[in-house]
Amino acid sequence: MYHVATELPFNKDDPQQLDKKRHLGNDIVMIIYLDCTQMTPIDTTTQTPTINTSSTSTTMTTSQFEQYIAETVVTQFNHILIVVAPAEYDENGKPTYYVQCAFKEGIQPFIPVVPSPMCRIKSEKLRQFMMCKLINGELSAYSAPSFKDKFQKTRQAILTSLYNDRIM
Protein backbone atom coordinates (compact mmCIF):
# COMPACT_ATOMS: atom_id res chain seq x y z
CA MET A 1 0.00 0.00 0.00
CA TYR A 2 1.21 3.47 -0.86
CA HIS A 3 -0.13 6.76 0.46
CA VAL A 4 -0.45 10.02 -1.46
CA ALA A 5 0.27 12.94 0.88
CA THR A 6 -2.04 15.36 -0.94
CA GLU A 7 -4.92 12.86 -0.79
CA LEU A 8 -4.66 12.31 2.97
CA PRO A 9 -7.04 14.42 5.10
CA PHE A 10 -5.80 17.85 6.13
CA ASN A 11 -6.37 18.75 9.78
CA LYS A 12 -6.33 22.52 10.23
CA ASP A 13 -5.99 22.10 14.02
CA ASP A 14 -2.77 20.09 13.69
CA PRO A 15 0.08 22.29 12.39
CA GLN A 16 2.46 19.30 12.18
CA GLN A 17 -0.08 17.07 10.37
CA LEU A 18 0.79 14.08 12.56
CA ASP A 19 -1.85 11.84 10.97
CA LYS A 20 -0.27 12.35 7.56
CA LYS A 21 3.19 11.71 8.98
CA ARG A 22 1.94 8.55 10.66
CA HIS A 23 0.69 7.09 7.37
CA LEU A 24 3.59 8.23 5.22
CA GLY A 25 6.14 7.26 7.85
CA ASN A 26 4.98 3.64 7.78
CA ASP A 27 5.48 3.18 4.04
CA ILE A 28 8.59 1.24 3.06
CA VAL A 29 8.92 3.08 -0.25
CA MET A 30 8.27 6.81 -0.47
CA ILE A 31 7.88 8.88 -3.62
CA ILE A 32 8.80 12.54 -3.40
CA TYR A 33 7.45 14.63 -6.27
CA LEU A 34 9.21 17.97 -6.65
CA ASP A 35 6.52 19.94 -8.47
CA CYS A 36 8.09 23.39 -8.05
CA THR A 37 11.64 22.34 -8.87
CA GLN A 38 12.97 21.57 -12.32
CA MET A 39 16.09 19.51 -12.74
CA THR A 40 18.01 19.99 -15.95
CA PRO A 41 20.08 17.35 -17.77
CA ILE A 42 23.35 16.20 -16.25
CA ASP A 43 26.25 18.47 -17.08
CA THR A 44 28.68 16.17 -18.88
CA THR A 45 31.69 18.10 -17.61
CA THR A 46 30.84 17.68 -13.92
CA GLN A 47 28.48 14.66 -14.04
CA THR A 48 26.10 16.37 -11.61
CA PRO A 49 22.41 17.25 -12.00
CA THR A 50 21.51 20.91 -11.80
CA ILE A 51 18.49 21.90 -9.76
CA ASN A 52 16.76 25.17 -10.63
CA THR A 53 14.56 26.69 -7.93
CA SER A 54 12.75 29.84 -9.05
CA SER A 55 15.35 32.11 -10.61
CA THR A 56 18.38 30.74 -8.77
CA SER A 57 20.24 27.58 -9.70
CA THR A 58 22.61 25.36 -7.79
CA THR A 59 24.42 22.17 -8.67
CA MET A 60 23.64 19.13 -6.56
CA THR A 61 26.07 16.23 -6.57
CA THR A 62 25.00 12.69 -5.79
CA SER A 63 26.42 12.95 -2.26
CA GLN A 64 24.58 16.26 -1.73
CA PHE A 65 21.38 14.61 -2.98
CA GLU A 66 21.86 11.78 -0.48
CA GLN A 67 22.60 14.34 2.27
CA TYR A 68 19.46 16.31 1.29
CA ILE A 69 17.39 13.13 1.52
CA ALA A 70 18.99 12.15 4.85
CA GLU A 71 18.36 15.60 6.36
CA THR A 72 14.90 16.15 4.89
CA VAL A 73 13.33 12.73 5.36
CA VAL A 74 14.20 11.41 8.81
CA THR A 75 12.54 8.07 9.36
CA GLN A 76 13.23 4.65 10.75
CA PHE A 77 10.78 2.82 8.51
CA ASN A 78 11.06 4.41 5.04
CA HIS A 79 13.90 2.56 3.35
CA ILE A 80 13.59 3.65 -0.28
CA LEU A 81 13.01 7.19 -1.53
CA ILE A 82 12.24 7.85 -5.18
CA VAL A 83 12.38 11.50 -6.22
CA VAL A 84 10.52 12.58 -9.38
CA ALA A 85 10.85 16.05 -10.87
CA PRO A 86 9.59 17.56 -14.12
CA ALA A 87 12.10 17.89 -16.93
CA GLU A 88 11.82 19.58 -20.29
CA TYR A 89 9.36 18.53 -23.00
CA ASP A 90 10.41 15.94 -25.58
CA GLU A 91 10.51 16.49 -29.34
CA ASN A 92 6.74 15.75 -29.55
CA GLY A 93 5.84 18.35 -26.90
CA LYS A 94 5.14 15.74 -24.19
CA PRO A 95 6.56 16.19 -20.68
CA THR A 96 9.45 14.14 -19.39
CA TYR A 97 10.54 13.53 -15.80
CA TYR A 98 13.78 13.01 -13.96
CA VAL A 99 13.90 10.15 -11.47
CA GLN A 100 16.44 9.69 -8.67
CA CYS A 101 16.53 6.89 -6.14
CA ALA A 102 18.08 6.68 -2.68
CA PHE A 103 17.90 3.75 -0.30
CA LYS A 104 19.21 2.79 3.09
CA GLU A 105 22.11 0.50 3.72
CA GLY A 106 21.24 -3.17 3.36
CA ILE A 107 18.84 -2.71 0.44
CA GLN A 108 20.05 -4.61 -2.61
CA PRO A 109 19.81 -2.86 -6.00
CA PHE A 110 16.58 -3.63 -7.86
CA ILE A 111 15.21 -3.18 -11.34
CA PRO A 112 14.51 -1.07 -13.26
CA VAL A 113 17.91 0.46 -12.62
CA VAL A 114 18.15 4.24 -12.24
CA PRO A 115 21.52 5.31 -13.62
CA SER A 116 23.52 7.41 -11.20
CA PRO A 117 22.67 10.11 -10.35
CA MET A 118 19.32 10.16 -12.23
CA CYS A 119 17.50 9.22 -15.42
CA ARG A 120 15.01 10.97 -17.69
CA ILE A 121 11.74 9.19 -18.51
CA LYS A 122 8.97 10.09 -20.95
CA SER A 123 5.59 10.71 -19.36
CA GLU A 124 3.86 7.76 -21.06
CA LYS A 125 6.45 5.36 -19.64
CA LEU A 126 6.64 6.91 -16.16
CA ARG A 127 3.64 5.07 -14.66
CA GLN A 128 4.88 1.61 -15.69
CA PHE A 129 8.45 2.44 -14.65
CA MET A 130 7.34 3.71 -11.23
CA MET A 131 5.03 0.76 -10.51
CA CYS A 132 7.80 -1.67 -11.37
CA LYS A 133 10.32 0.31 -9.31
CA LEU A 134 7.97 0.57 -6.30
CA ILE A 135 7.02 -3.11 -6.22
CA ASN A 136 10.56 -4.37 -6.79
CA GLY A 137 11.90 -1.90 -4.24
CA GLU A 138 9.50 -3.08 -1.58
CA LEU A 139 10.36 -6.71 -2.31
CA SER A 140 14.06 -5.86 -2.09
CA ALA A 141 13.49 -4.11 1.25
CA TYR A 142 11.81 -7.22 2.66
CA SER A 143 15.06 -9.14 2.24
CA ALA A 144 17.16 -6.42 3.90
CA PRO A 145 18.66 -7.47 7.24
CA SER A 146 16.68 -4.84 9.18
CA PHE A 147 13.37 -6.18 7.84
CA LYS A 148 14.17 -9.89 7.90
CA ASP A 149 14.48 -9.94 11.69
CA LYS A 150 11.27 -7.93 12.17
CA PHE A 151 9.30 -10.17 9.83
CA GLN A 152 10.58 -13.35 11.47
CA LYS A 153 9.67 -12.09 14.94
CA THR A 154 6.22 -10.96 13.75
CA ARG A 155 5.52 -14.27 11.99
CA GLN A 156 6.66 -16.20 15.04
CA ALA A 157 4.37 -14.17 17.31
CA ILE A 158 1.39 -14.66 14.97
CA LEU A 159 1.97 -18.40 14.64
CA THR A 160 2.42 -18.76 18.39
CA SER A 161 -0.78 -16.82 18.99
CA LEU A 162 -2.71 -18.92 16.45
CA TYR A 163 -1.35 -22.11 17.96
CA ASN A 164 -2.22 -21.05 21.52
CA ASP A 165 -5.72 -19.85 20.54
CA ARG A 166 -6.68 -22.81 18.34
CA ILE A 167 -4.76 -25.79 19.66
CA MET A 168 -4.36 -25.11 23.35
Side-chain angles (χ1 to χ4, degrees):
M1 175 187 299
Y2 303 99
H3 295 95
V4 180
T6 55
E7 298 294 323
L8 292 171
F10 177 79
N11 183 351
K12 63 181 179 180
D13 297 328
D14 183 6
Q16 291 190 17
Q17 298 302 310
L18 293 177
D19 285 336
K20 280 188 180 188
K21 288 180 183 179
R22 189 173 298 121
H23 288 290
L24 296 170
N26 284 320
D27 290 340
I28 296 169
V29 181
M30 180 181 282
I31 301 171
I32 301 170
Y33 182 78
L34 302 176
D35 61 351
C36 61
T37 302
Q38 185 166 356
M39 298 160 82
T40 57
I42 298 171
D43 178 354
T44 55
T45 59
T46 62
Q47 291 298 306
T48 58
T50 302
I51 297 181
N52 297 324
T53 307
S54 304
S55 61
T56 61
S57 69
T58 57
T59 301
M60 181 178 276
T61 64
T62 303
S63 62
Q64 289 171 325
F65 166 72
E66 290 168 355
Q67 182 180 355
Y68 163 78
I69 292 298
E71 291 173 358
T72 306
V73 182
V74 179
T75 177
Q76 292 181 6
F77 200 75
N78 300 128
H79 278 58
I80 300 167
L81 303 172
I82 301 173
V83 180
V84 179
E88 61 278 351
Y89 290 88
D90 68 8
E91 60 281 352
N92 298 322
K94 294 185 177 181
T96 60
Y97 299 89
Y98 286 117
V99 178
Q100 291 180 310
C101 188
F103 41 89
K104 289 186 177 179
E105 193 174 323
I107 305 290
Q108 295 298 312
F110 49 93
I111 58 171
V113 175
V114 175
S116 182
M118 67 180 159
C119 68
R120 182 175 149 197
I121 301 174
K122 293 184 176 192
S123 61
E124 62 268 10
K125 299 194 183 265
L126 183 65
R127 182 178 188 275
Q128 181 179 353
F129 178 89
M130 291 299 290
M131 288 303 292
C132 187
K133 192 73 176 164
L134 291 168
I135 292 168
N136 289 337
E138 189 152 337
L139 292 173
S140 179
Y142 289 153
S143 62
S146 60
F147 272 104
K148 265 186 170 176
D149 294 340
K150 292 175 187 175
F151 281 138
Q152 286 176 342
K153 289 177 184 176
T154 302
R155 285 187 193 121
Q156 182 65 40
I158 291 170
L159 288 173
T160 301
S161 175
L162 285 171
Y163 177 79
N164 289 338
D165 292 347
R166 305 287 183 208
I167 306 297
M168 297 303 232

